[in-house]
Amino acid sequence: MLGPLLFTSYISPITRLIHSFGIFHHTYADDTTLLISAGPLIAPSLLTDCTLALSTWFLFHGLLLNPSKSDVMWVGTRPQLRSVSGIDLNISSVPITPSTSIKLLGVTFDSQLSFNEHVSEICRITNFHLRSLGHIRKYLNTSTANTIACAIIGSRLDYCNSILSGLSNSNFLRLQRLQNKAARLVLNSHNRFQPSEPLLRQLHWLPVAKRVDYKIALLTFKTLSCHQPGYLHSILHPYAPDRSLRSTNQHLLSVPLAKTSFHSRAFSIYAPRLWNHLPLSLRALLPTDSSSFLSSGPSTNLSLFQTDLKTFLFDAPPSLIP
């Protein structure tokens, strides 16, 4: 049980080594992901130099960096991807062919962050569990069927769903069909032409797109309340107008300028826009400082925010952000 923790502690010095190259990284157990934001002429050299230094560090500490088990992927818009299509990439001096998709912690990322493959994988697994639940549905009461659906199917739809902000309508529709199918199965509704919205309300299930907004709004509230995690709190800035306005005391966030729709899906832009579209009664639940939030017990404010947010989203239009 201590294996992953001890291994992470053993390789923790590579954090300083990677940061010395100005590269952001994410480590989970024995998986390390390097994120390089640079031009097509700088990124390959940075990747080569950093991985060579890492390979040397691993050799001196009895470990091995295996380039054959490493993946590289360019991320960007179509014009950006075309501009880097012929650039060679090396990991520890070993040439690596860029991949079109990479699976990280159960989420499949593609080059344009469309998440088409990830949605397809969710649909495949969820349909399998829906068929299995359908075989035993007649032996279950509604409460038990609802519990199983939430545990097995709802968890698939909710896993890391905050990254689906700004997802295409076609992909949201694919996921919504799964949820509608699960609702009809739980409530034993065999009428395919019956609207799904009353069924979802009866089960207190938010539609898929609103579940994404719920997760992001809740994450924003927690981040602003506790000032943690630091990498998210550092990109959320309170709105501070140059002169005194009525909006000064409305707990708004500053929204950075987004040059493209691709850029507008980032948490630093989507989260403030979503937060500013919440009613003032919800934003006012934010404590004045994190110390008072923690000392008074976060359950009161947090529980009230969760309840009111879900109630608001049930009655909100399908697209909260225009």
Side-chain angles (χ1 to χ4, degrees):
M1 292 178 63
L2 292 176
L5 180 61
L6 294 175
F7 180 81
T8 303
S9 301
Y10 184 70
I11 68 168
S12 60
I14 69 172
T15 297
R16 295 190 298 272
L17 179 59
I18 296 174
H19 283 173
S20 67
F21 290 89
I23 298 176
F24 179 78
H25 79 288
H26 175 270
T27 300
Y28 182 82
D30 61 341
D31 290 332
T32 301
T33 305
L34 306 181
L35 303 174
I36 303 176
S37 176
L41 299 178
I42 302 176
S45 60
L46 266 180
L47 180 64
T48 301
D49 296 342
C50 182
T51 52
L52 275 174
L54 286 174
S55 180
T56 303
W57 188 93
F58 283 133
L59 286 175
F60 272 104
H61 292 82
L63 299 172
L64 178 65
L65 175 63
N66 193 344
S68 63
K69 292 185 178 180
S70 301
D71 288 320
V72 177
M73 183 178 70
W74 292 102
V75 178
T77 60
R78 283 194 180 96
Q80 290 173 336
L81 294 176
R82 283 196 297 266
S83 67
V84 298
S85 58
I87 296 179
D88 297 327
L89 296 172
N90 298 311
I91 292 182
S92 188
S93 299
V94 178
I96 298 293
T97 302
S99 303
T100 57
S101 62
I102 289 179
K103 195 165 188 178
L104 178 63
L105 300 181
V107 178
T108 303
F109 294 84
D110 56 87
S111 297
Q112 298 182 34
L113 297 183
S114 64
F115 295 104
N116 292 332
E117 295 183 35
H118 180 62
V119 172
S120 297
E121 183 69 9
I122 293 177
C123 292
R124 184 186 66 82
I125 297 176
T126 305
N127 276 317
F128 170 79
H129 290 297
L130 282 172
R131 288 192 296 269
S132 301
L133 180 59
H135 292 321
I136 62 172
R137 177 62 186 89
K138 60 183 178 181
Y139 304 108
L140 306 173
N141 56 34
T142 302
S143 177
T144 304
N146 187 15
T147 302
I148 295 176
C150 290
I152 300 178
I153 299 166
S155 60
R156 300 279 180 182
L157 297 176
D158 290 340
Y159 178 71
C160 289
N161 63 344
S162 58
I163 64 173
L164 301 181
S165 59
L167 194 68
S168 64
N169 292 332
S170 59
N171 279 330
F172 267 135
L173 182 59
R174 294 169 65 190
L175 297 176
Q176 189 57 53
R177 286 170 180 165
L178 293 176
Q179 191 186 43
N180 295 344
K181 186 177 179 180
R184 290 190 173 92
L185 187 60
V186 170
L187 296 176
N188 261 334
S189 175
H190 303 289
N191 184 5
R192 295 184 178 181
F193 300 100
Q194 180 182 3
S196 58
E197 183 177 354
L199 302 179
L200 298 178
R201 281 183 172 271
Q202 184 176 345
L203 294 171
H204 300 284
W205 292 358
L206 282 171
V208 175
K210 292 184 178 181
R211 293 169 88 94
V212 174
D213 287 343
Y214 176 88
K215 178 69 72 64
I216 296 176
L218 184 60
L219 182 59
T220 305
F221 179 83
K222 291 180 178 179
T223 302
L224 295 173
S225 300
C226 301
H227 298 180
Q228 294 294 332
Y231 64 90
L232 289 184
H233 185 260
S234 63
I235 58 179
L236 297 177
H237 306 286
Y239 174 67
D242 296 333
R243 54 193 178 88
S244 181
L245 299 173
R246 285 182 298 176
S247 58
T248 304
N249 298 321
Q250 292 188 1
H251 307 280
L252 298 174
L253 294 177
S254 177
V255 181
L257 178 64
K259 297 181 179 179
T260 62
S261 58
F262 185 84
H263 186 202
S264 65
R265 296 173 55 189
F267 181 85
S268 59
I269 298 177
Y270 191 90
R273 290 179 62 195
L274 176 64
W275 179 263
N276 293 346
H277 278 82
L278 296 179
L280 178 59
S281 58
L282 279 172
R283 301 196 303 269
L285 292 175
L286 195 66
T288 54
D289 59 86
S290 58
S291 59
S292 63
F293 179 78
L294 295 174
S295 61
S296 61
S299 58
T300 303
N301 276 13
L302 183 59
S303 299
L304 187 58
F305 181 82
Q306 288 175 302
T307 302
D308 292 351
L309 176 62
K310 190 171 183 179
T311 302
F312 167 72
L313 290 178
F314 260 122
D315 299 325
S319 179
L320 190 59
I321 299 180

